[in-house]
Amino acid sequence: MLRLTGVELRRLTARRLTVIGVLGVLAITVLLMVVVWNDARPMSAEEQRSSQAQFEAAHEYWVQNGEADRKRCEADWENQPDPKPAKAEFCNFREPVIDDFGKPRVVFAELMPELLLGSSYLLVFAAFLIGASFVGAEFSTGAIGNWLTFEPRRLRVYGSKLLAAAIGFVPVAVGVLAILTFGTYVIVDQLGDTSSTTGKVWRDLTATGGRAVLLVAVGAALGGVVGLLLRHTAAAIGVAMGYLVLIEGVFAGFLNQAQPWLVKLNFDAFVRHDATYFVNQCSTGSDGSYMCSSIEKTLSFEHGAWYLGILAVVLIVLGGAVFYRRDITS
Protein backbone atom coordinates (compact mmCIF):
# COMPACT_ATOMS: atom_id res chain seq x y z
CA MET A 1 0.00 0.00 0.00
CA LEU A 2 2.78 2.44 0.88
CA ARG A 3 4.62 1.66 -2.36
CA LEU A 4 1.44 2.20 -4.38
CA THR A 5 0.75 5.47 -2.59
CA GLY A 6 4.30 6.66 -3.32
CA VAL A 7 3.85 5.89 -7.01
CA GLU A 8 0.53 7.76 -7.08
CA LEU A 9 2.11 10.74 -5.31
CA ARG A 10 4.79 10.96 -7.98
CA ARG A 11 2.12 10.80 -10.67
CA LEU A 12 0.08 13.50 -8.95
CA THR A 13 2.98 15.93 -8.61
CA ALA A 14 4.10 15.32 -12.20
CA ARG A 15 0.72 16.26 -13.71
CA ARG A 16 0.55 19.61 -15.48
CA LEU A 17 -2.86 20.44 -14.02
CA THR A 18 -1.52 19.97 -10.50
CA VAL A 19 1.33 22.42 -11.12
CA ILE A 20 -1.00 24.95 -12.75
CA GLY A 21 -3.52 24.61 -9.93
CA VAL A 22 -0.93 25.14 -7.20
CA LEU A 23 0.56 28.15 -9.02
CA GLY A 24 -2.94 29.57 -9.40
CA VAL A 25 -3.62 29.21 -5.68
CA LEU A 26 -0.31 30.92 -4.87
CA ALA A 27 -1.13 33.77 -7.27
CA ILE A 28 -4.52 34.31 -5.62
CA THR A 29 -2.84 34.26 -2.20
CA VAL A 30 -0.50 37.03 -3.31
CA LEU A 31 -3.50 39.01 -4.58
CA LEU A 32 -5.18 38.61 -1.19
CA MET A 33 -2.14 40.14 0.50
CA VAL A 34 -2.17 43.00 -2.02
CA VAL A 35 -5.80 43.64 -1.05
CA VAL A 36 -4.81 43.62 2.64
CA TRP A 37 -2.04 46.12 1.92
CA ASN A 38 -4.45 48.37 0.03
CA ASP A 39 -6.99 48.24 2.86
CA ALA A 40 -4.38 48.82 5.58
CA ARG A 41 -2.44 51.69 4.03
CA PRO A 42 -3.26 55.10 5.55
CA MET A 43 -5.46 57.66 3.86
CA SER A 44 -3.94 60.32 1.67
CA ALA A 45 -3.75 63.92 2.89
CA GLU A 46 -6.76 64.84 0.75
CA GLU A 47 -8.79 61.93 2.14
CA GLN A 48 -7.88 62.94 5.70
CA ARG A 49 -9.04 66.52 5.08
CA SER A 50 -12.32 65.25 3.63
CA SER A 51 -12.82 62.92 6.60
CA GLN A 52 -12.14 65.74 9.07
CA ALA A 53 -14.62 68.01 7.30
CA GLN A 54 -17.32 65.32 7.40
CA PHE A 55 -16.69 64.73 11.11
CA GLU A 56 -16.92 68.43 11.96
CA ALA A 57 -20.18 68.81 10.03
CA ALA A 58 -21.72 65.74 11.68
CA HIS A 59 -20.60 66.81 15.14
CA GLU A 60 -21.99 70.31 14.69
CA TYR A 61 -25.35 68.86 13.62
CA TRP A 62 -25.35 66.55 16.66
CA VAL A 63 -24.67 69.44 19.04
CA GLN A 64 -27.52 71.49 17.55
CA ASN A 65 -30.11 68.78 16.89
CA GLY A 66 -29.09 65.58 18.69
CA GLU A 67 -31.32 66.02 21.75
CA ALA A 68 -34.36 66.97 19.68
CA ASP A 69 -33.83 64.01 17.36
CA ARG A 70 -33.54 61.67 20.34
CA LYS A 71 -36.80 62.87 21.91
CA ARG A 72 -38.61 62.60 18.58
CA CYS A 73 -37.29 59.08 18.12
CA GLU A 74 -38.39 58.04 21.62
CA ALA A 75 -41.88 59.32 20.87
CA ASP A 76 -41.93 57.26 17.70
CA TRP A 77 -40.71 54.25 19.67
CA GLU A 78 -43.67 54.47 22.02
CA ASN A 79 -46.02 54.09 19.04
CA GLN A 80 -44.26 51.02 17.65
CA PRO A 81 -46.28 47.75 17.77
CA ASP A 82 -45.13 44.98 20.09
CA PRO A 83 -42.69 43.32 20.19
CA LYS A 84 -40.64 46.53 20.19
CA PRO A 85 -36.89 46.68 19.69
CA ALA A 86 -34.84 47.95 22.61
CA LYS A 87 -35.14 51.72 22.98
CA ALA A 88 -31.36 52.13 23.20
CA GLU A 89 -30.95 50.40 19.85
CA PHE A 90 -33.91 52.10 18.17
CA CYS A 91 -32.81 55.58 19.25
CA ASN A 92 -29.04 55.45 19.15
CA PHE A 93 -27.90 59.06 18.79
CA ARG A 94 -24.43 58.94 20.30
CA GLU A 95 -21.93 61.70 19.82
CA PRO A 96 -19.93 61.33 16.58
CA VAL A 97 -16.19 60.70 16.90
CA ILE A 98 -13.45 61.07 14.32
CA ASP A 99 -13.01 57.27 14.09
CA ASP A 100 -16.50 57.05 12.57
CA PHE A 101 -15.23 58.75 9.43
CA GLY A 102 -12.63 57.69 6.91
CA LYS A 103 -10.90 54.35 6.66
CA PRO A 104 -11.08 52.11 9.75
CA ARG A 105 -7.78 50.82 11.13
CA VAL A 106 -7.05 47.21 10.13
CA VAL A 107 -6.66 44.91 13.16
CA PHE A 108 -4.78 41.66 12.53
CA ALA A 109 -6.63 39.66 15.21
CA GLU A 110 -9.98 40.59 13.62
CA LEU A 111 -8.94 40.25 9.98
CA MET A 112 -6.98 36.98 9.99
CA PRO A 113 -9.77 34.52 10.96
CA GLU A 114 -11.83 35.71 7.99
CA LEU A 115 -8.84 35.46 5.67
CA LEU A 116 -8.12 31.91 6.82
CA LEU A 117 -11.74 30.90 6.23
CA GLY A 118 -11.80 32.48 2.77
CA SER A 119 -8.50 30.89 1.75
CA SER A 120 -9.71 27.51 3.02
CA TYR A 121 -12.61 27.73 0.51
CA LEU A 122 -10.08 28.33 -2.25
CA LEU A 123 -7.78 25.52 -1.16
CA VAL A 124 -10.53 22.93 -0.73
CA PHE A 125 -12.08 23.80 -4.09
CA ALA A 126 -8.72 23.58 -5.86
CA ALA A 127 -7.89 20.29 -4.10
CA PHE A 128 -11.29 18.86 -5.03
CA LEU A 129 -10.92 19.75 -8.71
CA ILE A 130 -7.35 18.47 -8.99
CA GLY A 131 -8.25 15.29 -7.09
CA ALA A 132 -11.21 14.72 -9.42
CA SER A 133 -9.00 15.26 -12.46
CA PHE A 134 -6.27 13.00 -11.05
CA VAL A 135 -8.65 10.01 -10.79
CA GLY A 136 -11.25 10.87 -13.43
CA ALA A 137 -8.68 11.22 -16.21
CA GLU A 138 -7.66 7.58 -15.81
CA PHE A 139 -11.20 6.43 -16.49
CA SER A 140 -11.86 8.80 -19.39
CA THR A 141 -8.62 7.69 -21.10
CA GLY A 142 -8.89 4.00 -20.15
CA ALA A 143 -5.52 4.04 -18.35
CA ILE A 144 -7.06 2.50 -15.24
CA GLY A 145 -7.42 -0.82 -17.09
CA ASN A 146 -3.69 -0.95 -17.74
CA TRP A 147 -2.96 -0.06 -14.12
CA LEU A 148 -5.13 -2.92 -12.86
CA THR A 149 -3.16 -5.42 -14.92
CA PHE A 150 -0.14 -4.61 -12.72
CA GLU A 151 -2.07 -4.39 -9.46
CA PRO A 152 -5.41 -6.26 -9.69
CA ARG A 153 -6.39 -5.68 -6.04
CA ARG A 154 -8.83 -2.89 -6.64
CA LEU A 155 -9.31 -1.66 -3.09
CA ARG A 156 -5.54 -1.21 -2.67
CA VAL A 157 -5.48 0.80 -5.89
CA TYR A 158 -8.50 2.82 -4.75
CA GLY A 159 -7.03 3.54 -1.32
CA SER A 160 -3.62 4.51 -2.71
CA LYS A 161 -5.17 7.03 -5.11
CA LEU A 162 -7.24 8.72 -2.40
CA LEU A 163 -4.31 8.75 0.03
CA ALA A 164 -2.02 10.27 -2.58
CA ALA A 165 -4.55 13.00 -3.39
CA ALA A 166 -5.03 13.78 0.31
CA ILE A 167 -1.37 13.65 1.33
CA GLY A 168 -0.22 15.56 -1.73
CA PHE A 169 -2.20 18.64 -0.80
CA VAL A 170 -1.21 18.84 2.86
CA PRO A 171 2.15 20.61 2.26
CA VAL A 172 0.46 22.90 -0.30
CA ALA A 173 -2.21 23.92 2.20
CA VAL A 174 0.31 24.39 5.03
CA GLY A 175 2.58 26.49 2.84
CA VAL A 176 -0.20 28.69 1.45
CA LEU A 177 -1.76 29.35 4.86
CA ALA A 178 1.64 30.07 6.42
CA ILE A 179 2.53 32.54 3.65
CA LEU A 180 -0.84 34.25 3.98
CA THR A 181 -0.70 34.45 7.78
CA PHE A 182 2.81 35.78 8.21
CA GLY A 183 2.64 37.96 5.11
CA THR A 184 -0.54 39.57 6.42
CA TYR A 185 1.02 40.02 9.86
CA VAL A 186 4.01 41.87 8.39
CA ILE A 187 1.73 44.15 6.34
CA VAL A 188 -0.63 44.93 9.22
CA ASP A 189 2.26 45.38 11.65
CA GLN A 190 3.59 48.17 9.42
CA LEU A 191 0.29 49.79 8.43
CA GLY A 192 -2.38 48.64 10.90
CA ASP A 193 -2.75 47.30 14.42
CA THR A 194 -1.20 44.09 15.77
CA SER A 195 -1.24 45.08 19.45
CA SER A 196 -4.09 42.68 20.26
CA THR A 197 -2.29 39.66 18.77
CA THR A 198 -1.75 37.70 21.98
CA GLY A 199 -0.53 34.16 22.44
CA LYS A 200 -4.14 32.98 22.55
CA VAL A 201 -4.81 34.64 19.18
CA TRP A 202 -1.85 32.79 17.64
CA ARG A 203 -3.03 29.49 19.15
CA ASP A 204 -6.53 30.04 17.79
CA LEU A 205 -5.19 30.91 14.34
CA THR A 206 -2.96 27.84 14.35
CA ALA A 207 -5.92 25.63 15.29
CA THR A 208 -8.05 27.22 12.57
CA GLY A 209 -5.30 26.63 10.03
CA GLY A 210 -4.90 23.02 11.15
CA ARG A 211 -8.61 22.33 10.69
CA ALA A 212 -8.47 23.98 7.26
CA VAL A 213 -5.54 21.76 6.23
CA LEU A 214 -7.48 18.67 7.32
CA LEU A 215 -10.45 19.72 5.18
CA VAL A 216 -8.15 20.36 2.21
CA ALA A 217 -6.89 16.77 2.46
CA VAL A 218 -10.45 15.44 2.73
CA GLY A 219 -11.55 17.65 -0.18
CA ALA A 220 -8.80 16.23 -2.41
CA ALA A 221 -9.79 12.66 -1.52
CA LEU A 222 -13.48 13.35 -2.13
CA GLY A 223 -12.61 14.92 -5.46
CA GLY A 224 -10.99 11.61 -6.36
CA VAL A 225 -14.15 9.75 -5.28
CA VAL A 226 -16.42 11.95 -7.39
CA GLY A 227 -14.05 11.66 -10.34
CA LEU A 228 -14.18 7.88 -10.00
CA LEU A 229 -17.98 7.76 -9.71
CA LEU A 230 -18.56 10.04 -12.69
CA ARG A 231 -15.53 8.82 -14.69
CA HIS A 232 -14.83 12.24 -16.14
CA THR A 233 -13.20 15.40 -14.83
CA ALA A 234 -15.70 17.74 -16.50
CA ALA A 235 -18.63 15.86 -14.96
CA ALA A 236 -17.09 16.14 -11.48
CA ILE A 237 -16.53 19.88 -11.96
CA GLY A 238 -20.12 20.23 -13.21
CA VAL A 239 -21.53 18.51 -10.13
CA ALA A 240 -19.44 20.66 -7.78
CA MET A 241 -20.36 23.91 -9.52
CA GLY A 242 -24.02 22.87 -9.78
CA TYR A 243 -24.22 22.27 -6.03
CA LEU A 244 -22.47 25.51 -5.15
CA VAL A 245 -24.53 27.65 -7.53
CA LEU A 246 -27.96 26.04 -7.19
CA ILE A 247 -28.08 24.73 -3.63
CA GLU A 248 -25.71 27.00 -1.70
CA GLY A 249 -26.22 30.06 -3.92
CA VAL A 250 -29.83 30.07 -5.12
CA PHE A 251 -31.90 27.79 -2.92
CA ALA A 252 -30.11 28.48 0.39
CA GLY A 253 -32.16 31.67 0.75
CA PHE A 254 -35.38 29.67 0.49
CA LEU A 255 -34.11 26.78 2.61
CA ASN A 256 -33.96 29.00 5.67
CA GLN A 257 -34.62 26.32 8.25
CA ALA A 258 -32.42 23.77 6.46
CA GLN A 259 -29.19 25.77 6.76
CA PRO A 260 -27.66 23.44 9.41
CA TRP A 261 -27.76 20.65 6.80
CA LEU A 262 -25.96 22.52 4.03
CA VAL A 263 -22.25 21.89 3.44
CA LYS A 264 -21.02 25.48 3.63
CA LEU A 265 -22.38 26.26 7.09
CA ASN A 266 -20.99 23.01 8.50
CA PHE A 267 -17.69 23.79 6.79
CA ASP A 268 -17.66 27.20 8.52
CA ALA A 269 -18.57 25.67 11.88
CA PHE A 270 -15.70 23.19 11.66
CA VAL A 271 -13.04 25.66 10.49
CA ARG A 272 -14.04 28.51 12.81
CA HIS A 273 -15.05 26.30 15.75
CA ASP A 274 -18.74 27.34 15.71
CA ALA A 275 -20.57 29.45 13.16
CA THR A 276 -23.57 31.75 13.43
CA TYR A 277 -26.48 31.96 11.03
CA PHE A 278 -29.86 33.69 10.89
CA VAL A 279 -33.38 32.32 10.50
CA ASN A 280 -36.54 34.33 9.94
CA GLN A 281 -39.15 34.21 12.68
CA CYS A 282 -42.49 35.67 11.67
CA SER A 283 -45.57 36.38 13.79
CA THR A 284 -48.89 38.20 13.63
CA GLY A 285 -49.31 41.08 16.07
CA SER A 286 -52.39 41.85 18.15
CA ASP A 287 -53.37 44.52 15.62
CA GLY A 288 -53.21 42.05 12.73
CA SER A 289 -49.82 43.23 11.45
CA TYR A 290 -47.41 40.60 10.16
CA MET A 291 -43.81 41.07 11.22
CA CYS A 292 -40.64 39.06 10.65
CA SER A 293 -37.36 39.29 12.52
CA SER A 294 -34.00 37.59 12.06
CA ILE A 295 -32.95 35.32 14.92
CA GLU A 296 -29.26 34.58 15.31
CA LYS A 297 -28.39 30.94 15.98
CA THR A 298 -25.15 29.03 16.43
CA LEU A 299 -24.08 25.85 14.67
CA SER A 300 -21.59 24.05 16.89
CA PHE A 301 -18.16 22.74 15.95
CA GLU A 302 -19.27 19.26 16.96
CA HIS A 303 -22.21 19.36 14.54
CA GLY A 304 -19.93 20.46 11.71
CA ALA A 305 -17.35 17.77 12.52
CA TRP A 306 -19.91 14.95 12.63
CA TYR A 307 -21.69 16.18 9.50
CA LEU A 308 -18.52 16.47 7.40
CA GLY A 309 -17.05 13.26 8.82
CA ILE A 310 -20.13 11.16 8.06
CA LEU A 311 -20.47 12.70 4.59
CA ALA A 312 -16.83 11.90 3.79
CA VAL A 313 -17.05 8.32 5.08
CA VAL A 314 -20.28 7.62 3.15
CA LEU A 315 -18.83 8.94 -0.12
CA ILE A 316 -15.53 7.08 0.30
CA VAL A 317 -17.28 3.79 1.10
CA LEU A 318 -19.65 4.30 -1.83
CA GLY A 319 -16.75 5.00 -4.17
CA GLY A 320 -14.90 1.91 -2.96
CA ALA A 321 -17.96 -0.31 -3.42
CA VAL A 322 -18.57 0.99 -6.94
CA PHE A 323 -14.92 0.62 -7.96
CA TYR A 324 -14.75 -2.90 -6.53
CA ARG A 325 -17.81 -4.16 -8.39
CA ARG A 326 -18.16 -2.07 -11.54
CA ASP A 327 -16.84 -3.04 -14.95
CA ILE A 328 -14.26 -0.38 -15.71
CA THR A 329 -14.78 -0.70 -19.45
CA SER A 330 -18.50 0.18 -19.38
Side-chain angles (χ1 to χ4, degrees):
M1 186 71 169
L2 291 177
R3 183 179 62 83
L4 285 175
T5 303
V7 172
E8 296 291 355
L9 272 172
R10 288 193 291 273
R11 291 183 58 250
L12 175 66
T13 55
R15 299 187 77 239
R16 183 181 303 173
L17 183 60
T18 303
V19 176
I20 294 173
V22 172
L23 291 177
V25 168
L26 288 172
I28 295 174
T29 302
V30 172
L31 287 176
L32 284 175
M33 290 190 288
V34 171
V35 171
V36 171
W37 172 82
N38 186 64
D39 289 342
R41 64 176 181 169
M43 295 186 296
S44 65
E46 182 178 349
E47 290 173 330
Q48 291 179 22
R49 286 192 296 269
S50 176
S51 175
Q52 182 67 28
Q54 292 174 6
F55 162 69
E56 291 173 356
H59 191 271
E60 182 179 357
Y61 177 88
W62 181 85
V63 170
Q64 295 176 358
N65 304 288
E67 185 62 22
D69 288 346
R70 184 183 63 80
K71 291 180 179 179
R72 185 163 50 250
C73 178
E74 290 177 351
D76 292 340
W77 179 83
E78 295 289 346
N79 297 323
Q80 291 290 316
D82 292 326
K84 298 178 182 179
K87 183 187 290 187
E89 296 178 3
F90 191 77
C91 301
N92 183 14
F93 291 95
R94 65 178 180 82
E95 181 179 2
V97 295
I98 187 62
D99 290 341
D100 295 334
F101 300 85
K103 182 185 292 187
R105 191 167 175 81
V106 174
V107 180
F108 177 80
E110 298 174 359
L111 171 67
M112 201 60 227
E114 296 297 328
L115 271 181
L116 286 177
L117 179 63
S119 59
S120 67
Y121 294 152
L122 169 67
L123 285 165
V124 170
F125 188 66
F128 179 90
L129 295 186
I130 294 174
S133 172
F134 174 56
V135 177
E138 289 195 86
F139 285 89
S140 60
T141 61
I144 187 65
N146 294 330
W147 184 238
L148 289 176
T149 61
F150 293 98
E151 175 51 81
R153 291 172 292 185
R154 292 194 176 196
L155 292 183
R156 288 171 62 88
V157 172
Y158 176 72
S160 66
K161 290 183 181 299
L162 298 193
L163 275 175
I167 295 171
F169 269 91
V170 168
V172 174
V174 171
V176 167
L177 294 179
I179 291 170
L180 181 64
T181 300
F182 292 106
T184 301
Y185 182 83
V186 171
I187 293 170
V188 177
D189 189 46
Q190 297 297 316
L191 303 175
D193 183 3
T194 59
S195 60
S196 59
T197 311
T198 61
K200 181 180 182 304
V201 170
W202 281 116
R203 288 192 296 272
D204 290 344
L205 292 177
T206 301
T208 299
R211 292 191 293 271
V213 169
L214 176 60
L215 287 186
V216 170
V218 173
L222 293 185
V225 172
V226 174
L228 179 148
L229 292 174
L230 300 179
R231 297 192 173 200
H232 203 284
T233 304
I237 295 174
V239 167
M241 295 301 297
Y243 175 82
L244 292 174
V245 173
L246 293 178
I247 305 301
E248 297 284 357
V250 176
F251 294 117
F254 302 101
L255 302 172
N256 196 256
Q257 299 293 334
Q259 291 182 77
W261 304 107
L262 298 179
V263 172
K264 180 182 178 299
L265 186 58
N266 283 278
F267 185 102
D268 293 353
F270 182 80
V271 173
R272 301 195 63 176
H273 208 285
D274 295 345
T276 58
Y277 64 103
F278 293 87
V279 296
N280 292 329
Q281 181 173 308
C282 301
S283 60
T284 302
S286 57
D287 59 351
S289 61
Y290 187 73
M291 299 180 61
C292 292
S293 58
S294 292
I295 307 299
E296 184 179 27
K297 294 192 174 185
T298 299
L299 189 72
S300 69
F301 164 76
E302 290 77 13
H303 187 287
W306 278 107
Y307 177 97
L308 296 175
I310 292 172
L311 178 64
V313 169
V314 168
L315 287 176
I316 290 172
V317 170
L318 175 63
V322 170
F323 184 56
Y324 183 75
R325 298 180 63 86
R326 189 168 64 181
D327 183 356
I328 62 171
T329 62
S330 61

